[in-house]
Amino acid sequence: FATCGAQGFKVYHSLPFLSGHTRSLDGGIRIAEMLEKTNIMALVGDGTNPRWRANEVNFWDENLGSVVDKVQLDDSPILAVKLSRYILVVVQSEEITVFNFQTLNLLDNIETAPNPTGIIAFITNE
């Protein structure tokens, strides 16, 4: 799993639990979502000095140490991101946007009831 903060993110190992790698990005991160056990992270900026905009998902390749792609949505902040090798789900306050993760092509926009905390459940069966 990963945590994020005012200057970057940190990756932990869960079994056994170990503190892992820290990446300083010189800016705030709201969301750090890992693509399974790969080197790819989905990152969203936040805070008084955000690294990226709050309405875009940046795909960070930890092996390269850089962003390899991104998806930008409307001006409303992204509240949650879930991903698998095939699907990217992005949650905003009253909408969920679903993309094909391999191509980043839009699959669907789903209007939702107000969801100010971005709660979503996502289960993969791959």
Side-chain angles (χ1 to χ4, degrees):
F1 65 94
T3 60
C4 50
Q7 294 301 314
F9 65 87
K10 185 170 188 173
V11 176
Y12 295 83
H13 302 276
S14 58
L15 191 59
F17 177 74
L18 298 169
S19 181
H21 178 74
T22 299
R23 171 63 77 167
S24 177
L25 294 174
D26 299 322
I29 304 295
R30 169 195 299 261
I31 298 167
E33 184 75 21
M34 298 173 61
L35 176 60
E36 301 170 0
K37 292 183 177 182
T38 71
N39 53 303
I40 303 296
M41 305 277 296
L43 303 173
V44 177
D46 191 30
T48 57
N49 180 32
R51 180 66 172 98
W52 297 289
R53 298 176 64 184
N55 68 327
E56 65 183 32
V57 180
N58 294 272
F59 300 101
W60 180 269
D61 184 323
E62 186 56 23
N63 290 346
L64 298 176
S66 65
V67 172
V68 293
D69 214 336
K70 72 178 180 179
V71 171
Q72 187 169 340
L73 283 75
D74 66 24
D75 289 335
S76 131
I78 294 169
L79 302 174
V81 174
K82 299 295 179 189
L83 66 158
S84 74
R85 292 182 187 271
Y86 306 104
I87 298 291
L88 165 67
V89 179
V90 181
V91 180
Q92 293 175 294
S93 63
E94 296 186 14
E95 183 175 48
I96 295 173
T97 307
V98 183
F99 296 90
N100 175 312
F101 182 67
Q102 296 178 352
T103 64
L104 296 181
N105 289 333
L106 177 67
L107 297 177
D108 203 356
N109 282 316
I110 304 164
E111 289 187 33
T112 66
N115 183 8
T117 56
I119 295 173
I120 187 168
F122 184 76
I123 299 170
T124 62
N125 225 6
E126 302 167 347

